[in-house]
Amino acid sequence: MIRPLLGALLATVPVLAVAAPRSEVLLDKGWQVRLDPADAEAVRAHPKAAKWLPATVPGVVQADLVAHKVVADPFVGLNEAQVQWAGRSDWIYRLPLEANAALLSRGHVELVFEGLDTFATVTVNGSEVLSADNAHRRWRVDVRHLLKPGANEVLIRFRSPLKVLQPRVLPLENPLPGEYDSVFGDEPEGRQTSPYIRKPKYHYGWDWGPRILNIGPNGPVRIEAWDDARIDVVRVQQEAISAAEARIAAEVEIVADKDGEAEVGASAVGPDGATAASGTRKVHLVAGRNRVLVPLAIASPRLWYPAGFGDQPLYSVRTSLKVKDEVVDGAVRSTGLRTVELLREADANGRGFQLKINGLPIFMKGANLIPFDSFQTRVTPQRMAAILGDAKAANMNMVRIWGGGHYLPDAFYDAADRLGLMVWQDFMFGGAVTPHDREFRESVRIEAEEQVDRVQAHPSIVIWAGNNEVLSGWETWSDRVAFKKRVGADEQERVGVGMAILFNQVLRDAAERRDADVPYWPGSPSTNYEGRPDVDGDGDRHYWDVWGGKKPVEAYLETCPRFMSEYGLQAMPVMPTIRSFAGPGDLEITSPVMRTHQKFMRGQGQERLLHYIEQRYRAPRDFADFVYLTQAMQADGIALGALHHRACNPVTSGSLYWQLNDVWPGASWSSVDYYGRWKALHFAARRFFAPLAIAAGRKADGMTEVSLVSDRTAPLDAQWRLRIVSVEGKERVVGGGNATVAPLSASRVGTFDDAALFGSDDKRTSFAVAEMLVDGKVVSRALVSALPEKAMALPDPGLTTAWTTAPDGKPRLTVTAAHLARGLWIGFGALDASASDNFVDLLPGESVTVEVTSKASPAALRKALELRHLGESGR
């Protein structure tokens, strides 16, 4: 954090006045935006946008157009198509500002942009000061010589990325393979501009989100004023961490405008607010960039641990710069003290992929995180923290920040630090083959170094990865194979070597030099250039034979990967979310609106959902039943895979399903939808990622393996039992016993074929119920059937309900089942209400009690209540 400006701001027009220390003012008020008058075709077609409109900064044009009702909300109905013109047009932002004599007396007055998306030219009082071409970079320019006392004007001219790049791409005989072709006709198939631009890839459309080519200042804008020297970067480097001492260093990069003496100070302030260590260094600065290390030794440090394994104490590293005995600059970094190791030991299964935190070999449980919104600049810290809170509530300890989006703001990592959620951090490469020219690599180098510098102090970041699916795609995807065949051996080598230099040298160097205590991994999936990527026995995997390849979910049980970093099944969001974008006439499985909000295979994902429903479940009775069945299928399938991965420990060391969140309301692989509403999967995740769990997966050959899983760091004395329970409540014990589960491990306690498990019981009416008990209390349960639910005779469960009021005043609902209720969903139709627990299995005679959160009255809740289940009478 930098010292606040010592001056004043008007409400709409900034007035700048500064004192001797480095000062800054945020330029977030008074901006306006309009179509560039030079874009005559767009001006004629959209006259409302040709006039100056108030603009939000940070922001993007499309969000302002929606806010001012120039275009309809692209998230509703078929409106996505109506906003496409904005990304094809050129725009101008302007800001009037006032400068006084005090400001103009400073040695340097710099205009700083934390993001410009993407092709932008900045002028001050009519003079061009910078030209930007990378949305992931910071841009800084000294404008003191252009400012005058009184009124000044800053203009940012943005060009459409399609207009800039298509003259270069369209003539190419063999353009680089990209990601997703446009459905709007603005780019020919197979001739995408996205590989050639440093811009969030999902803006071009993905199989879970819309195509909206954001344009605008996508990061904060500010003025910084300073004289002799300023702090540019502070990194917190860990030399050695132990229970006795933490040896760290504040690595300070200083920009000076001339040679001179200075004093650099640093201190570490502990979680209790007391100074734990401090130090100073007197140095001779030279004109230009200077690097100064101030070592700090913290006695008896408090270590940061992931969620479920300890506390998350945080330290503040505070730095100062003195010139001529005056403090001219300072910065603060929040950090945590912990060690990270990536173990790649060879064994009979191949080569491992085990992350250790503070010496603990932790099984990584979590999900992949995509951008929070199609317009990331409108995402608040509270919204990011809420999604991360949902992840922790589901017993996750890791999120992977996928490489096709944004580098997230510091507030995201602050929340992850506090919650103890580890972060797998991709660099922002989403899948497209990358250019191999030096200019492109140099831009990426600067981007990577700036981004690592910005966030590396956060203890939540435990691995840096070079890209998402670029390496594996180059090896196996059909369009890449065809591209390599077309271009011939020489060009294939140039492209391949260029990617190797980028991911194995440029990005590796940025991560390992600037965040030395965190391992670097060149891509996901990858084997660290030691073999073919995306294999079970080495490195991490993205497994899409289920869903993408249409295999049944039981295929998850066929192998034990070393680290599963992607796998997933789609589902629809809950009905209140669907009603936010669809009218009553749109509530059909394959209506135009549903296909528009289903991005897999251009809307054909609806048929894929039906395919997976029909594999195991009954046919949907109506649209609302279809929605429920998609969620049941998703929750059951991912639970099967996740518990199998946990049971494979230590061969498998992580399970991150695709995906945690959404960028807009629609069908997707998420477990929490765009509005923060939990799908059935997220409720299931809270159970299958619980610290203690039982896994009971029935494979295609009819064999069921039962394992006990423990995340505890001490041996666990547990019991297990296996019963056959009929839908009417008859039961018999099949197996069970005592077991000692080693720390951080899984123990297989039994393997049963169908004959041993079900015997002569009617498989149409019987389930195997596997339970893990600790001190006589059931801590985890899994149901196993020999037949898919559609082939079973599941009777009406005879559900009864009772309403009471919880101590906090919330309505409380108890649901009791006379017979088996498989996959009970407590819903309220289109009414916005959520139960504290959901998608549960109730054995005959069991009850579940939940609190209901809603703004609706108790009477409205009672009237809207819908109970769904997988039986024939399931609503």
Side-chain angles (χ1 to χ4, degrees):
M1 298 188 305
I2 308 299
R3 290 172 175 268
L5 178 72
L6 303 178
L9 288 176
L10 295 179
T12 57
V13 180
V15 179
L16 309 179
V18 293
R22 193 263 285 263
S23 307
E24 71 173 42
V25 60
L26 189 63
L27 302 180
D28 61 346
K29 300 290 191 299
W31 288 91
Q32 294 177 305
V33 65
R34 72 176 183 188
L35 281 166
D36 189 333
D39 194 341
E41 183 178 348
V43 168
R44 285 194 300 271
H46 306 281
K48 289 183 180 179
K51 299 176 182 179
W52 287 112
L53 299 169
T56 299
V57 174
V60 297
V61 165
Q62 289 88 338
D64 283 326
L65 295 177
V66 173
H68 296 302
K69 302 187 184 306
V70 177
V71 298
D73 186 344
F75 288 7
V76 175
L78 304 175
N79 293 342
E80 178 192 354
Q82 297 181 27
V83 77
Q84 296 305 310
W85 64 270
R88 304 168 190 162
S89 305
D90 301 334
W91 298 86
I92 299 180
Y93 281 76
R94 77 174 178 186
L95 176 71
L97 58 83
E98 295 271 333
N100 60 23
L103 173 70
L104 300 178
S105 69
R106 300 303 298 270
H108 304 270
V109 180
E110 295 177 331
L111 188 57
V112 183
F113 299 89
E114 291 293 341
L116 292 169
D117 190 2
T118 296
F119 294 112
T121 301
V122 179
T123 62
V124 175
N125 294 333
S127 296
E128 182 177 328
V129 295
L130 70 83
S131 179
D133 61 358
N134 185 328
H136 301 301
R137 278 180 55 181
R138 177 190 303 116
W139 302 91
R140 177 189 293 270
V141 61
D142 199 324
V143 296
R144 176 181 174 275
H145 63 293
L146 295 174
L147 294 176
K148 58 187 179 182
N152 295 266
E153 184 179 63
V154 177
L155 291 181
I156 314 173
R157 286 183 168 86
F158 286 96
R159 292 208 64 203
S160 162
L162 300 185
K163 288 184 178 181
V164 172
L165 291 173
Q166 283 186 338
R168 169 185 170 188
V169 174
L170 294 183
L172 294 175
E173 183 178 356
N174 293 296
L176 295 173
E179 284 106 354
Y180 288 90
D181 285 318
S182 173
V183 300
F184 298 106
D186 49 4
E187 290 190 294
E189 289 195 6
R191 292 186 173 271
Q192 301 167 16
T193 56
S194 65
Y196 300 89
I197 188 173
R198 292 305 299 141
K199 174 181 178 62
K201 299 302 184 183
Y202 81 106
H203 289 173
Y204 288 84
W206 220 266
D207 57 5
W208 35 253
R211 178 183 175 93
I212 303 178
L213 292 174
N214 286 195
I215 290 176
N218 61 330
V221 183
R222 65 181 183 271
I223 286 283
E224 292 189 9
W226 56 283
D227 293 318
D228 299 324
R230 64 173 175 85
I231 294 175
D232 188 54
V233 174
V234 175
R235 290 182 288 270
V236 179
Q237 302 288 17
Q238 296 187 169
E239 177 185 340
I241 306 292
S242 69
E245 183 183 57
R247 294 195 301 276
I248 66 174
E251 184 177 6
V252 186
E253 289 192 12
I254 299 166
V255 174
D257 63 0
K258 56 180 174 295
D259 291 5
E261 306 303 314
E263 181 179 282
V264 181
S267 63
V269 178
D272 58 358
T275 299
S278 63
T280 59
R281 288 191 63 184
K282 292 190 175 183
V283 296
H284 180 81
L285 300 179
V286 298
R289 186 169 293 272
N290 300 260
R291 174 175 168 267
V292 181
L293 265 70
V294 182
L296 300 169
I298 302 171
S300 302
R302 294 183 58 193
L303 301 189
W304 183 95
Y305 281 89
F309 295 92
D311 297 329
Q312 292 79 44
L314 297 174
Y315 288 76
S316 294
V317 175
R318 304 178 181 182
T319 57
S320 63
L321 172 64
K322 282 185 179 182
V323 176
K324 299 175 184 176
D325 295 324
E326 180 184 6
V327 175
V328 298
D329 207 353
V332 178
R333 295 290 179 267
S334 175
T335 194
L337 306 175
R338 50 89 183 102
T339 63
V340 185
E341 302 170 83
L342 176 59
L343 303 183
R344 302 271 290 120
E345 296 178 355
D347 56 26
N349 299 287
R351 193 165 183 190
F353 189 94
Q354 174 68 68
L355 281 163
K356 275 188 173 184
I357 310 298
N358 297 330
L360 294 175
I362 294 175
F363 189 96
M364 304 298 169
K365 306 176 299 184
N368 289 263
L369 187 90
I370 64 172
F372 293 91
D373 201 300
S374 291
F375 309 125
Q376 184 70 19
T377 53
R378 69 184 183 184
V379 177
T380 64
Q382 293 77 18
R383 184 172 165 195
M384 292 186 291
I387 292 291
L388 290 178
D390 289 337
K392 184 173 182 178
N395 290 305
M396 298 182 188
N397 58 30
M398 173 176 271
V399 293
R400 171 179 172 243
I401 300 178
W402 168 78
H406 307 264
Y407 297 99
L408 292 172
D410 288 272
F412 171 87
Y413 302 96
D414 289 338
D417 293 346
R418 293 191 303 268
L419 292 167
L421 287 172
M422 294 175 284
V423 173
W424 172 310
Q425 176 68 61
D426 280 4
F427 285 99
M428 291 300 113
F429 291 88
V433 174
T434 55
H436 54 78
D437 59 278
R438 292 183 180 178
E439 183 181 1
F440 180 86
R441 285 202 299 269
E442 177 62 11
S443 180
V444 171
R445 179 192 67 79
I446 297 170
E447 163 197 324
E449 291 180 352
E450 286 180 349
Q451 296 295 344
V452 174
D453 285 347
R454 181 176 63 87
V455 302
Q456 61 83 230
H458 291 280
S460 52
I461 298 175
V462 298
I463 188 168
W464 288 92
N467 66 79
N468 170 78
E469 296 184 347
V470 177
L471 305 181
S472 57
W474 180 247
E475 292 285 337
T476 62
W477 292 0
S478 60
D479 63 333
R480 275 68 169 160
V481 172
F483 172 82
K484 289 186 282 188
K485 184 177 180 179
R486 287 196 308 271
V487 301
D490 290 345
E491 181 65 10
Q492 177 181 336
E493 182 178 8
R494 278 190 290 270
V495 175
V497 169
M499 288 192 292
I501 293 171
L502 183 66
F503 299 121
N504 204 34
Q505 294 181 24
V506 174
L507 295 181
R508 184 185 295 276
D509 181 69
E512 291 184 344
R513 280 196 306 109
R514 305 173 103 82
D515 196 9
D517 54 284
V518 173
Y520 174 79
W521 193 242
S524 182
S526 170
T527 55
N528 201 24
Y529 286 100
E530 295 165 359
R532 189 181 181 89
D534 205 15
V535 295
D536 280 327
D538 192 357
D540 68 314
R541 280 223 68 183
H542 289 190
Y543 184 81
W544 287 105
D545 288 359
V546 176
W547 183 265
K550 301 177 72 171
K551 283 188 175 182
V553 296
E554 288 76 17
Y556 286 137
L557 306 177
E558 294 174 358
T559 61
C560 290
R562 306 319 300 249
F563 192 108
M564 185 68 87
S565 49
E566 276 193 28
Y567 65 107
L569 289 163
Q570 261 203 11
M572 297 292 291
V574 294
M575 287 302 298
T577 294
I578 292 172
R579 293 305 298 268
S580 74
F581 66 80
D586 302 316
L587 302 184
E588 299 289 340
I589 296 172
T590 57
S591 73
V593 167
M594 291 304 151
R595 287 205 186 278
T596 294
H597 287 255
Q598 164 62 270
K599 294 302 182 181
F600 181 73
M601 293 181 63
R602 301 189 175 188
Q604 297 303 309
Q606 298 300 84
E607 283 78 8
R608 187 63 54 89
L609 286 169
L610 285 168
H611 167 78
Y612 272 94
I613 289 172
E614 291 164 358
Q615 279 190 352
R616 188 164 190 96
Y617 306 103
R618 56 175 167 75
R621 295 187 179 85
D622 53 30
F623 180 77
D625 199 42
F626 166 75
V627 169
Y628 161 72
L629 289 170
T630 67
Q631 292 202 18
M633 174 272 295
Q634 181 193 42
D636 285 344
I638 299 304
L640 185 72
L643 285 168
H644 173 68
H645 300 153
R646 297 187 72 189
C648 285
N649 189 0
V651 174
T652 303
S653 61
S655 181
L656 309 179
Y657 66 73
W658 186 271
Q659 64 207 62
L660 177 61
N661 62 310
D662 275 331
V663 300
W664 82 326
S668 82
W669 294 263
S670 73
S671 60
V672 179
D673 74 24
Y674 175 76
Y675 293 107
R677 298 174 178 127
W678 289 21
K679 298 182 185 178
L681 171 56
H682 211 74
F683 290 101
R686 189 162 59 187
R687 294 186 281 272
F688 63 65
F689 279 153
L692 303 177
I694 190 166
R698 182 182 180 276
K699 298 183 177 181
D701 61 4
M703 301 297 293
T704 299
E705 296 177 349
V706 181
S707 298
L708 304 182
V709 179
S710 173
D711 285 343
R712 292 189 179 177
T713 56
L716 172 70
D717 291 327
Q719 304 84 44
W720 67 281
R721 67 186 179 204
L722 188 60
R723 297 177 288 159
I724 298 298
V725 180
S726 76
V727 295
E728 301 294 340
K730 295 180 181 179
E731 65 176 76
R732 64 180 177 85
V733 176
V734 177
N738 298 319
T740 299
V741 186
L744 304 169
S745 73
S747 298
R748 184 172 299 171
V749 293
T751 302
F752 304 85
D753 60 22
D754 281 354
L757 196 57
F758 293 98
S760 60
D761 290 283
D762 186 349
K763 294 178 182 177
R764 296 177 63 253
T765 60
S766 300
F767 281 85
V769 181
E771 293 171 316
M772 181 180 185
L773 301 90
V774 176
D775 298 328
K777 180 181 178 182
V778 176
V779 296
S780 181
R781 173 192 284 174
L783 268 62
V784 179
S785 62
L787 301 173
E789 279 80 359
K790 68 179 181 180
M792 299 187 71
L794 300 178
D796 188 320
L799 300 173
T800 57
T801 62
W803 289 90
T804 57
T805 302
D808 61 3
K810 288 183 180 179
R812 178 181 282 171
L813 172 65
T814 298
V815 182
T816 303
H819 311 298
L820 175 75
R822 171 78 175 88
L824 172 65
W825 179 260
I826 302 168
F828 299 89
L831 192 67
D832 190 7
S834 60
S836 57
D837 196 10
N838 224 327
F839 195 67
V840 296
D841 296 322
L842 295 182
L843 299 183
E846 288 187 339
S847 300
V848 62
T849 298
V850 300
E851 289 189 6
V852 180
T853 300
S854 178
K855 295 180 180 179
S857 68
L861 292 172
R862 288 182 174 88
K863 183 178 180 180
L865 177 65
E866 296 178 354
L867 301 178
R868 297 184 183 274
H869 54 84
L870 291 172
E872 277 301 315
S873 61
R875 169 66 178 116

